[in-house]
């Protein structure tokens, strides 16, 4: 990393706000932090005395835990607030919640919320740094970054790679962050899935819409499949999970169309046998658990850069 | 309420779309009515005592502006707006009459609620024409008592704020409204297509991760309303048209003789969906702000007469309803005090003549709603608006008469406004710089 580079962001609201140089810097920082998690004593004093609040207003286990482990490995004090649904469901507005939290002088608030744009609303009403841990169907930047890190680790580069993202693109904030991130870093992104789950204007985000999974996966260096949310079946988007598995699930036969050294990714949790064949999930091409490991490193890097970075 | 002393407006550019008059002249108000209006000078005219003479200095004198689509929030949500504060905002914006939609709490679906609104309007700064509900409670199940509400003062019926989903119900509403000489105003939206949407469907919504409301949600319902109007032979008025497709449907229906009229609002010809920016709830409304192509189509339709009315859809909301996550925030913006300046831009752009603008904001609304006004003619009520098309000002929150501040136009530099509003012979709004003789 260049010595005169200063990370210019106080909040991490989405990859849409980050320049390629910022993303590169975050990835390099995370790579240097990854080793800490492999020590027997997995703790450094970097963020000692800093207060991090996990404000998870939508259920989450793995992302919340990943952020908490990241913060604790940097010696920050962490506090968890959880609540189902939106802030108004509890009778308090988001802005009031923000003001109350601000009064306790935290250094960073990590927010997960079912409404798109809510991290920005929080950031406008609080002095602390804000990290978006997933907002509605908008972005999930730390997930996008850990996916970029995992790909770079396995492929040595991102520019020029062919990345296929398969599944529910419309409702997936993971897909949105990945499309933005991979495009910014010079990869070619293709998306495929049922037409009911591909949003209008996806080309404007830089992705190429393929009419079939086969077309998207052919020659791909990275195949990323997304979790199908079973609740989406209420809206007439899918006839059945069975049909989805047959036409849009990733099977060994589909995977054989990808580049010989292609890797397979999934943001988890997996519906085994729906979007992904169980044998593939546990097979040699799967980097799914590497994604989880890298998640901690990326989140350590983000906390460091917005709170303690010098 | 007694009318002020008689008023003589001199050196005004008289704009009367009904007669085609566009000339410099004078107008005399006496006992709440227009008693003289003519080109030239009032020399030789017999003038009443206690006369206030106003030198209009070439400014435009129009029949009072009429807004046929506002929400006044009384009864039920007086913290957002009352009939009195809404009428004051109307007067400040150059309006002398407004038609208020029935989605109050309780809903204006009975003569009792209509009477309550009429009582609140007595002495207000603008004439208030309540719009009754089409269905009881806006539920789309039982017809509201059109006859009783008509007797109490409603001039039109609408379930505005929500569509009438059932086509048979809408057909019956059109038929029954005919018996009581009521205009049916349609909120055209297929809510199975728009449901839970927060902004226009398209690239911007995808980028922001917001569920979209497609243009076709509006267009399908406009198509149904036009078909029902044609079938029943009853007039329909389409509220807040926002898409190029809807404009096209209205244009073609009119060409084959369907009794259809339609309105749009200044935000639909001024802003695109880009105004949502990064989740700015002041740009959240329904129908949503659309694309540049839609804006171009709306502007063209105002110029060619397809859209006959500029209304505001004035929808006051408190900070409480707007300072929220975008998806949870209330729909709607205030419009009474920004409508005329924003519409005058269309004249400056060469799209409309001053006469066309006055027709869109006064003459046509009066005709469509069958209410007095809309003309500069002897014997008409003295409802007048004096417009200074060159007046420059900043549209500022602390100068608004409305109780709410939810406008995407705050802090905009604007050109042109009403400098004098006269309703029923009484001055209801006056900018200090109006010259006095």
């Amino acid at each position: 990393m260049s010595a005169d580079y200063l990370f210019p962001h106080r909040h991490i609201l989405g990859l849409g706000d980050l320049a390629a140089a910022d993303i590169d810097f975050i990835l390099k920082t995370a790579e240097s932090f990854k080793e800490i998690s492999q020590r027997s004593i997995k703790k450094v004093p970097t963020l000692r005395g800093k207060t991090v609040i996990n404000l998870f207003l939508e259920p989450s286990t793995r992302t919340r835990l990943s952020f908490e482990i990241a913060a604790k490995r940097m010696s920050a004090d962490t506090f968890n607030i959880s609540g189902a649904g939106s802030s108004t469901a509890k009778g308090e507005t988001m802005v009031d919640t923000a003001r109350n939290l601000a009064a306790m002088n935290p250094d960073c608030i990590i927010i997960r919320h079912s409404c798109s744009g809510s991290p920005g609303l929080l950031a406008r009403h609080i002095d602390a740094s804000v990290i978006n841990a997933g907002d509605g169907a908008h972005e999930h930047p730390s997930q996008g970054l850990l996916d970029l890190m995992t790909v770079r680790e396995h492929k040595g580069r991102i520019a020029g790679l062919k990345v296929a993202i398969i599944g529910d693109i419309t409702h997936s904030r993971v897909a949105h962050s990945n499309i933005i991130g991979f495009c910014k870093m010079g990869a070619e992104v293709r998306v495929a899935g049922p037409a009911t789950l591909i949003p209008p204007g996806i080309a404007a985000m830089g992705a190429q819409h393929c009419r079939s999974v086969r077309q998207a996966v052919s020659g791909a260096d990275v195949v990323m499949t997304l979790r199908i949310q079973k609740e989406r079946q209420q809206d007439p988007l899918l006839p059945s999970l069975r049909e989805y598995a047959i036409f849009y699930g990733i099977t060994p036969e589909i995977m054989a169309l990808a580049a010989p050294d292609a890797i397979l990714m999934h943001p988890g949790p997996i519906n085994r046998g729906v979007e992904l064949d169980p044998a593939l999930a546990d097979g040699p091409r799967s980097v799914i658990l590497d994604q989880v490991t890298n998640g901690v490193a990326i989140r350590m890097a983000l906390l460091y850069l917005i709170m303690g970075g010098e | 309420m007694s009318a002020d002393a008689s008023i003589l407006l001199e050196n005004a550019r008289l704009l009367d779309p009904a007669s085609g008059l566009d000339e410099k002249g004078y107008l005399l108000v006496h006992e709440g009515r227009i008693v003289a209006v003519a080109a030239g000078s009032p020399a030789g005219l017999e003038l009443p005592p206690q006369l206030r003479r106003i030198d209009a200095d070439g400014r435009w004198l129009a029949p009072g502006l009429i807004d046929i689509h506002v929400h006044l929030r009384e009864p039920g949500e007086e913290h957002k707006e009352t009939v009195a504060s809404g009428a004051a905002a109307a007067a400040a914006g150059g309006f002398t009459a407004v038609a208020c939609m029935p989605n109050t709490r309780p809903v204006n679906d009975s003569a009792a609620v209509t009477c309550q609104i009429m009582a609140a309007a007595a002495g207000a700064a603008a004439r208030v024409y309540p719009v009754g509900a089409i269905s009881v409670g806006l539920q789309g199940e039982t017809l509201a008592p059109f006859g009783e509400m008509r007797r109490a003062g409603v001039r039109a019926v609408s379930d505005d704020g929500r569509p009438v989903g059932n086509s048979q119900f809408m057909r019956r509403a059109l038929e029954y409204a005919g018996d009581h000489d009521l205009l049916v105003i349609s909120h055209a939206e297929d809510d199975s297509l728009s449901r839970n949407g927060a902004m226009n469907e398209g690239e911007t919504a995808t980028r922001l991760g917001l569920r979209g409301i497609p243009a076709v949600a509006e267009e399908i319902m406009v198509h149904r309303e036009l078909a029902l109007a044609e079938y029943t032979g009853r007039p329909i008025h389409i509220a807040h048209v926002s898409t190029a497709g809807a404009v096209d449907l209205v244009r073609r229906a009119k060409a084959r003789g369907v009794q259809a009229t339609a309105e749009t609002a200044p935000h639909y010809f001024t802003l695109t969906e880009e105004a949502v920016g990064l989740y700015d709830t002041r740009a959240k409304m329904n129908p949503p702000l659309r694309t540049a192509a839609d804006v171009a189509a709306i502007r063209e339709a105002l110029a060619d007469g397809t859209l006959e009315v500029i209304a505001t859809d004035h929808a006051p909301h408190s900070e409480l309803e707007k300072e929220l996550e975008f998806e949870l925030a209330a729909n709607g913006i205030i419009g009474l005090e920004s409508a005329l300046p924003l519409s005058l831009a269309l004249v400056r752009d060469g799209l409309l003549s001053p006469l066309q603008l006055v027709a869109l904001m006064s003459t046509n609304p009066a005709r469509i709603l069958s209410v007095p006004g809309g003309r500069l003619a002897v014997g008409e009520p003295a409802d007048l608006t004096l417009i200074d098309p060159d007046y420059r000002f900043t549209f500022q929150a602390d100068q608004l008469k409305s109780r709410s501040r939810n406008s995407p136009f705050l802090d905009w530099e604007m050109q042109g406004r009403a400098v004098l509003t006269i309703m029923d012979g009484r001055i209801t709004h006056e900018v200090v710089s109006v010259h006095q003789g």
Side-chain angles (χ1 to χ4, degrees):
Chain A
M1 55 190 92
S2 104
D4 55 359
Y5 177 87
L6 275 178
F7 189 69
H9 301 279
R10 218 162 67 74
H11 308 293
I12 303 292
L13 303 180
L15 294 193
D17 304 329
L18 301 181
D22 301 328
I23 293 174
D24 185 58
F25 191 70
I26 294 167
L27 298 185
K28 283 178 174 153
T29 307
E31 282 154 16
S32 70
F33 279 147
K34 190 171 177 181
E35 175 264 335
I36 294 168
S37 295
Q38 288 151 3
R39 300 178 189 172
S40 60
I41 305 293
K42 303 174 182 61
K43 200 158 182 128
V44 293
T46 318
L47 296 180
R48 192 162 57 198
K50 300 283 186 185
T51 303
V52 174
I53 295 178
N54 280 320
L55 177 62
F56 275 61
L57 298 172
E58 189 186 71
S60 157
T61 305
R62 65 181 64 206
T63 301
R64 191 185 58 72
L65 185 63
S66 181
F67 268 111
E68 189 167 3
I69 288 174
K72 287 192 162 145
R73 287 191 179 156
M74 312 284 281
S75 298
D77 298 314
T78 64
F79 303 88
N80 292 313
I81 302 172
S82 58
S86 68
S87 48
T88 48
K90 297 189 296 176
E92 186 180 59
T93 68
M94 172 82 173
V95 171
D96 275 334
T97 304
R99 288 182 182 129
N100 275 284
L101 293 175
M104 297 179 226
N105 298 309
D107 297 289
C108 178
I109 296 181
I110 297 157
I111 177 174
R112 156 75 58 101
H113 196 302
S114 59
C115 289
S116 299
S118 43
L121 181 64
L122 181 66
R124 281 198 294 280
H125 288 91
I126 198 163
D127 286 334
S129 289
V130 173
I131 298 180
N132 177 7
D135 62 328
H138 176 225
E139 280 222 49
H140 192 348
S142 61
Q143 177 77 39
L145 290 164
L146 73 87
D147 288 339
L148 287 164
M149 180 179 177
T150 306
V151 169
R152 193 150 90 173
E153 218 170 52
H154 284 269
K155 294 285 164 194
R157 65 190 169 108
I158 293 167
L161 295 179
K162 296 181 175 69
V163 179
I165 305 178
I166 312 298
D168 180 355
I169 308 297
T170 299
H171 302 99
S172 174
R173 51 199 173 208
V174 174
H176 291 183
S177 286
N178 272 304
I179 291 169
I180 296 166
F182 278 102
C183 289
K184 274 193 175 159
M185 301 306 281
E188 173 193 325
V189 179
R190 309 154 170 183
V191 299
T196 50
L197 297 175
I198 306 290
I202 198 72
M205 291 178 78
Q208 180 198 346
H209 177 196
C210 296
R211 301 293 293 191
S212 72
V213 174
R214 290 175 166 272
Q215 189 191 345
V217 170
S218 291
D221 301 293
V222 176
V223 177
M224 183 183 298
T225 182
L226 303 169
R227 190 170 75 87
I228 276 295
Q229 289 160 301
K230 293 177 180 167
E231 60 271 25
R232 298 281 173 226
Q233 286 191 95
Q234 291 159 6
D235 217 355
L237 296 169
L238 290 176
S240 69
L241 290 181
R242 178 187 150 84
E243 176 142 321
Y244 183 87
I246 294 169
F247 291 94
Y248 304 98
I250 302 297
T251 60
E253 184 216 346
I254 294 288
M255 200 61 199
L257 300 171
D261 59 346
I263 57 171
L264 178 68
M265 307 179 81
H266 191 295
I270 304 170
N271 297 306
R272 284 177 182 261
V274 181
E275 66 263 6
L276 193 55
D277 186 287
L280 285 177
D282 306 323
R285 290 181 166 193
S286 168
V287 298
I288 294 171
L289 294 177
D290 296 345
Q291 292 174 265
V292 179
T293 302
N294 288 338
V296 174
I298 283 289
R299 286 159 185 139
M300 287 169 78
L302 291 178
L303 290 167
Y304 171 75
L305 289 173
I306 63 175
M307 277 194 295
E310 282 160 22
Chain B
M1 170 180 59
S2 65
D4 288 6
S6 305
I7 301 168
L8 177 67
L9 287 141
E10 301 173 89
N11 298 317
R13 180 172 174 184
L14 302 169
L15 292 170
D16 181 36
S19 63
L21 175 70
D22 179 358
E23 268 190 85
K24 204 159 183 182
Y26 66 91
L27 183 147
L28 180 62
V29 172
H30 184 59
E31 290 178 346
R33 301 220 158 247
I34 298 171
V35 295
V37 53
S41 130
L45 183 72
E46 192 182 325
L47 297 172
Q50 284 197 311
L51 180 74
R52 180 171 171 193
R53 299 179 81 120
I54 296 174
D55 181 355
D57 198 19
R59 296 184 185 88
W60 305 356
L61 185 61
L65 306 183
I66 299 172
D67 187 347
I68 67 175
H69 191 147
V70 305
H71 300 267
L72 295 184
R73 307 300 186 207
E74 182 178 357
E77 292 182 303
E78 287 83 355
H79 64 289
K80 297 180 176 184
E81 198 79 285
T82 61
V83 170
S85 68
F95 292 92
T96 55
V98 296
C100 58
M101 290 297 166
N103 58 340
T104 47
R105 295 182 189 175
V107 169
N108 182 15
D109 58 7
S110 70
V113 179
T114 307
C115 288
Q116 189 182 348
I117 296 167
M118 297 296 284
R127 297 176 198 274
V128 175
Y129 301 115
V131 176
I134 291 174
S135 67
V136 172
L138 308 177
Q139 296 299 306
E141 288 165 6
T142 310
L143 281 175
F146 290 4
E148 285 187 347
M149 292 191 300
R150 177 76 170 90
R151 242 184 236 161
V154 308
R155 300 301 179 114
V157 289
S158 180
D159 274 359
D160 184 65
R162 44 208 303 188
V164 173
N166 183 310
S167 303
Q168 173 76 330
F169 192 89
M170 191 61 166
R171 169 197 169 171
R172 297 306 182 204
L174 282 162
E175 290 170 347
Y176 189 58
D179 289 354
H180 298 283
D181 212 17
L182 286 168
L183 177 70
V184 177
I185 301 175
S186 164
H187 173 112
E189 176 185 2
D190 180 335
D191 62 2
S192 67
L193 280 164
S194 62
R195 193 181 38 191
N196 301 328
M199 69 172 295
N200 185 47
E201 183 168 293
E203 287 174 15
T204 308
T206 296
R207 182 166 48 78
L208 294 175
L210 293 171
R211 187 161 168 148
I213 301 174
V216 72
E218 177 172 331
E219 290 152 5
I220 281 180
M221 204 58 120
V222 167
H223 192 77
R224 183 197 76 172
E225 309 298 42
L226 296 169
L228 286 172
E230 189 165 21
Y231 183 68
T232 60
R234 286 287 307 159
I236 187 92
H237 178 75
I238 311 286
H240 43 55
V241 169
S242 73
T243 80
V247 162
D248 188 50
L249 288 164
V250 171
R251 186 179 284 126
R252 284 190 284 153
K254 282 182 159 189
R256 63 175 191 272
V258 179
Q259 294 184 70
T261 54
E263 71 189 34
T264 192
H267 36 278
Y268 298 121
F269 58 72
T270 307
L271 299 175
T272 68
E273 58 184 355
E274 297 297 325
V276 171
L278 288 173
Y279 308 98
D280 184 348
T281 59
R282 291 179 307 175
K284 188 183 181 196
M285 56 203 76
N286 186 27
L289 296 172
R290 305 286 189 182
T291 67
D294 294 304
V295 170
I298 298 278
R299 290 164 65 97
E300 187 190 334
L302 287 166
D304 73 15
T306 301
L307 295 174
E308 292 170 74
V309 174
I310 294 174
T312 66
D313 198 1
H314 179 77
H317 287 295
S318 71
E319 280 289 296
L320 285 176
E321 284 86 7
K322 281 291 192 183
E323 205 178 54
L324 290 174
E325 297 86 331
F326 194 86
E327 290 158 79
L328 303 177
N331 282 313
I333 69 169
I334 55 169
L336 283 165
E337 293 168 82
S338 53
L340 181 58
L342 294 171
S343 302
L344 281 164
L346 301 178
V347 177
R348 278 199 305 282
D349 292 349
L351 203 73
L352 301 177
S353 69
L355 271 180
Q356 277 178 296
L357 178 73
V358 173
L360 287 160
M361 299 187 78
S362 176
T363 312
N364 297 346
R367 186 191 79 238
I368 290 165
L369 207 56
S370 304
V371 295
R375 299 192 302 158
L376 296 182
V378 171
E380 285 286 317
D383 289 3
L384 301 162
T385 304
L386 187 67
I387 298 166
D388 183 341
D390 301 318
Y391 191 104
R392 288 175 183 275
F393 69 108
T394 307
F395 188 68
Q396 283 174 316
D398 60 5
Q399 290 172 11
L400 297 177
K401 300 287 185 198
S402 171
R403 284 197 174 178
S404 293
R405 302 283 178 267
N406 52 307
S407 168
F409 302 111
L410 292 181
D411 301 321
W412 274 40
E413 297 299 321
M414 299 214 178
Q415 184 182 340
R417 68 178 297 177
V419 289
L420 180 73
T421 310
I422 297 173
M423 191 272 290
D424 209 20
R426 188 160 63 95
I427 292 175
T428 52
H429 159 73
E430 186 173 14
V431 172
V432 252
S433 70
V434 176
H435 295 187
Q436 299 191 10

